[in-house]
Amino acid sequence: MLCENCGKRPATVHYTQIINGVKTEMHLCEVCAKQKGSIEFDAPFSVTNFLAGILEPAFGTQVLKPSFEMQLTCKGCGMTFDEFRRAGRFGCAMCYSSFSEKLYPIFRRIHGNTKHVGKIPTKMGEDIAIKREIDRLKIELNVAIKNEEYEKAAQIRDKIRELEKKLSRE
Amino acid sequence: MSDIVITSRIRLARNLSDVPFTIKMNDYDASNVIDRVRDVILKNKQYHFEFFEIKKLPLIKRQVLIEKHLISPALASSKIKSAVAIDQNENISIMINEEDHLRIQVLYRGQQIQKAWEDANRIDDFLEQHLSYAYDETWGYLTSCPTNVGTGLRASFMLHLPALTLLGYMKGIIDTITKLGIAVRGFYGEGSEAAGNLYQISNQITLGQPEEDIIANVVSITNQIIEQEQQARLKLLSENRAFVEDKVYRAYGILKYARNISSNEALKLISDVRMGISMGIIKETTIDRLDVLLNLIQPAIIQDYFGREMTPEERDIKRAELIRKILE
Ligand SMILES: [Zn+2]
Ligand SMILES: [Zn+2]
């Protein structure tokens, strides 16, 4: 296949672009691909550090076929997923939820696991307890309403609001 | 066993939930983290912490802290505003704005990993009461680098393995334990060579195992290495006694009489003598004294010890003098 841009050299770089669910493919030679600029093509496999070495294989052939749908961006710090992959470092705590689904293969590769089973911070433990208490009270509230015990229901509702306030403050 | 385990260290990586991680930090964020952490640390009545802003420390003082393993080279040369809190016994240090907002580190001589973990855990509990950590129910403590996520825990031992090195067994051991999720580094951490036959052994996996299991795993592998080192020493003694005796006595002789010695040469010789003492060959001095020397011979610490700056040439002379004095 020849490059779609210059029509001279063989197309070795393949893009898959998905915009509003419409998939378009682009096939370019390395020279034209480089001119497009938005993605680094110099050496897609240049493993500059240990971490890059860990991260690369997690994406398999996607490294050879960069696609724009990978341009995830963190809402917290503005870091893109590509930027994270290059630096091997997260920009903020929200990066974890922003890149969430991409992280499982990475964590599995590094740690062989994707779930923390160690220490829970005490304060966080309290939050978890409060959330559980709210869930319990909501069930109680439904029962009270069903039984037409409106005074009791109002009391439970106030308790829930109080707990929710406590959660949002932290 | 203390003749093989030089130090035990626990490190916890922690971040605040509401500030970008250090890679995305600006000056305001950096100062903000330092101020908040300092306020909290100074509230602690159990330990006596002294607080230092890295940029305000003279270069030589920073180097001393690196050589004492109280701060990392990365913290010392950090481009953003960074700081460290050090307890008066110099066992505990809390680095601020290193790769993570917080790096709680506890370091003890000999095999005291359990004690180190208890201290680190206690300090972590205290800090957590006053700061809001970046934590996720699924992924645990959120760290700047994905290799630390989960527990943020690094448990490590500094081991002295001269016999295994001399017999050429270290490469095989490193290959094996690396496959078991254990990292091996040199004296000064990442990327450094195993000068003086000193190796740092630590866990690589931080996610999916409770802290106690991670530590137990490092301890168990370390114990196996210790056993192999002891076997290797016996083998050396039974098969090459004359060679070993000559090697350690030569080392002892140079240390005792040299007038000019570099830190690298001293480190190698101290390693040989240290092995000689634990093998019962050298009885004129003790492991404890050698361990004091192991620290004192380092370039910045030696200047700190004599209380003034020195040229490298002057240092080599003063180092020889100091070694002679301690081996007296
Ligand atoms: Zn082209
Ligand atoms: Zn982010």
Side-chain angles (χ1 to χ4, degrees):
Chain A
M1 186 192 293
L2 287 176
C3 170
E4 286 178 0
N5 192 45
C6 63
K8 287 181 223 155
R9 289 171 288 262
T12 52
V13 182
H14 311 279
Y15 289 99
T16 311
Q17 188 173 13
I18 298 178
I19 298 170
N20 298 330
V22 182
K23 189 170 161 186
T24 26
E25 287 182 353
M26 240 196 291
H27 308 280
L28 302 172
C29 70
E30 247 169 88
V31 179
C32 295
K34 248 182 208 172
Q35 282 167 354
K36 290 263 170 200
S38 61
I39 297 171
E40 283 186 354
F41 285 100
D42 273 320
F45 285 115
S46 80
V47 178
T48 48
N49 57 46
F50 167 71
L51 190 71
I54 292 171
L55 295 181
E56 298 280 12
F59 306 98
T61 54
Q62 279 181 306
V63 178
L64 279 176
K65 297 182 185 176
S67 61
F68 292 111
E69 60 180 328
M70 274 176 66
Q71 280 307 322
L72 280 174
T73 304
C74 172
K75 288 142 230 120
C77 66
M79 180 177 266
T80 64
F81 186 73
D82 266 359
E83 206 183 319
F84 157 69
R85 219 184 45 181
R86 273 195 298 274
R89 306 256 298 268
F90 293 106
C92 73
M94 272 176 79
C95 285
Y96 279 87
S97 48
S98 306
F99 305 147
S100 164
E101 80 264 37
K102 300 257 179 207
L103 297 180
Y104 286 97
I106 295 174
F107 290 167
R108 190 163 294 119
R109 236 189 114 68
I110 298 175
H111 301 286
N113 285 298
T114 55
K115 176 105 186 70
H116 175 61
V117 292
K119 189 171 173 180
I120 301 170
T122 327
K123 223 170 19 180
M124 200 72 62
E126 278 167 25
D127 276 8
I128 293 167
I130 292 173
K131 277 183 209 157
R132 285 201 191 122
E133 176 69 2
I134 291 174
D135 288 344
R136 197 188 61 76
L137 286 171
K138 278 181 179 163
I139 295 169
E140 224 176 272
L141 178 67
N142 279 335
V143 174
I145 291 170
K146 223 183 248 167
N147 295 343
E148 299 183 350
E149 297 169 312
Y150 296 115
E151 207 170 313
K152 191 180 171 192
Q155 277 172 3
I156 297 170
R157 184 203 59 209
D158 290 347
K159 225 189 245 173
I160 292 174
R161 281 187 185 158
E162 205 177 293
L163 289 174
E164 278 172 343
K165 237 190 243 165
K166 208 168 166 186
L167 268 187
S168 62
R169 216 179 295 135
E170 283 171 37
Chain B
M1 261 183 357
S2 72
D3 56 336
I4 294 174
V5 179
I6 304 222
T7 57
S8 310
R9 169 155 50 171
I10 291 284
R11 183 218 72 193
L12 295 173
R14 300 289 186 252
N15 287 281
L16 306 189
S17 60
D18 55 351
V19 183
F21 292 168
T22 54
I23 193 173
K24 284 275 185 187
M25 254 183 172
N26 58 33
D27 283 348
Y28 173 80
D29 297 328
S31 304
N32 177 357
V33 173
I34 292 176
D35 291 344
R36 281 160 68 185
V37 175
R38 184 207 281 121
D39 286 349
V40 173
I41 288 174
L42 296 180
K43 268 187 208 148
N44 191 296
K45 296 282 172 280
Q46 191 174 10
Y47 300 95
H48 201 89
F49 282 109
E50 210 180 331
F51 198 91
F52 306 96
E53 273 186 40
I54 299 298
K55 284 207 174 107
K56 290 183 184 161
L57 286 176
L59 284 175
I60 181 88
K61 186 80 195 156
R62 290 184 214 179
Q63 193 57 38
V64 168
L65 295 179
I66 292 175
E67 289 175 7
K68 289 181 173 175
H69 297 282
L70 288 166
I71 66 171
S72 63
L75 188 82
S77 59
S78 162
K79 285 190 182 70
I80 55 167
K81 221 174 155 197
S82 59
V84 65
I86 299 172
D87 86 309
Q88 60 184 354
N89 298 322
E90 299 197 333
N91 292 316
I92 306 166
S93 63
I94 303 168
M95 288 180 252
I96 307 170
N97 296 338
E98 211 247 25
E99 188 179 289
D100 294 289
H101 292 150
L102 288 166
R103 290 251 165 135
I104 303 161
Q105 185 198 271
V106 184
L107 178 88
Y108 283 113
R109 287 196 51 202
Q111 212 303 27
Q112 301 196 66
I113 199 81
Q114 199 52 38
K115 190 174 167 205
W117 160 241
E118 281 160 20
D119 275 320
N121 197 22
R122 198 178 303 128
I123 289 162
D124 182 43
D125 284 344
F126 174 78
L127 292 175
E128 188 255 320
Q129 287 303 310
H130 303 273
L131 299 164
S132 97
Y133 277 168
Y135 183 90
D136 179 274
E137 278 181 59
T138 304
W139 292 318
Y141 294 93
L142 305 179
T143 53
S144 164
C145 182
T147 57
N148 292 314
V149 72
T151 56
L153 171 77
R154 193 78 62 210
S156 55
F157 290 110
M158 185 72 74
L159 304 178
H160 183 219
L161 307 172
L164 287 173
T165 309
L166 203 56
L167 291 172
Y169 293 158
M170 273 321 287
K171 202 197 162 307
I173 290 175
I174 291 171
D175 285 349
T176 309
I177 63 178
T178 305
K179 288 192 191 102
L180 299 172
I182 298 288
V184 184
R185 300 189 183 88
F187 191 33
Y188 292 108
E190 232 156 306
S192 76
E193 272 180 56
N197 306 316
L198 298 172
Y199 298 84
Q200 193 183 301
I201 310 281
S202 61
N203 63 298
Q204 215 145 33
I205 291 162
T206 54
L207 182 67
Q209 287 175 12
E211 287 79 357
E212 288 76 9
D213 288 8
I214 291 172
I215 294 167
N217 186 37
V218 181
V219 169
S220 130
I221 286 168
T222 298
N223 285 342
Q224 292 173 50
I225 297 171
I226 289 170
E227 211 170 285
Q228 294 197 44
E229 170 68 19
Q230 284 165 339
Q231 295 293 328
R233 289 182 187 189
L234 288 175
K235 187 177 156 74
L236 270 181
L237 271 181
S238 66
E239 292 172 14
N240 306 81
R241 182 161 198 116
F243 164 79
V244 175
E245 282 184 350
D246 182 64
K247 189 176 173 62
V248 301
Y249 266 113
R250 268 170 195 277
Y252 186 58
I254 296 173
L255 283 179
K256 212 165 153 67
Y257 296 106
R259 275 4 195 204
N260 185 317
I261 195 163
S262 73
S263 57
N264 240 332
E265 189 188 2
L267 189 56
K268 281 189 194 128
L269 298 170
I270 288 169
S271 167
D272 290 346
V273 174
R274 209 177 174 282
M275 176 178 75
I277 298 169
S278 75
M279 282 176 161
I281 297 172
I282 289 185
K283 298 196 172 69
E284 290 89 339
T285 187
T286 63
I287 291 268
D288 278 353
R289 280 190 189 192
L290 270 284
D291 285 351
V292 169
L293 277 184
L294 210 53
N295 261 312
L296 278 180
I297 57 156
Q298 300 181 87
I301 293 182
I302 200 161
Q303 296 177 66
D304 193 51
Y305 179 86
F306 285 104
R308 63 190 166 86
E309 281 191 39
M310 293 184 255
T311 63
E313 295 76 22
E314 203 184 342
R315 261 185 342 236
D316 290 353
I317 292 169
K318 280 290 175 192
R319 182 177 297 113
E321 192 184 304
L322 188 60
I323 293 171
R324 290 201 306 275
K325 206 171 104 188
I326 289 180
L327 291 183
E328 264 305 288

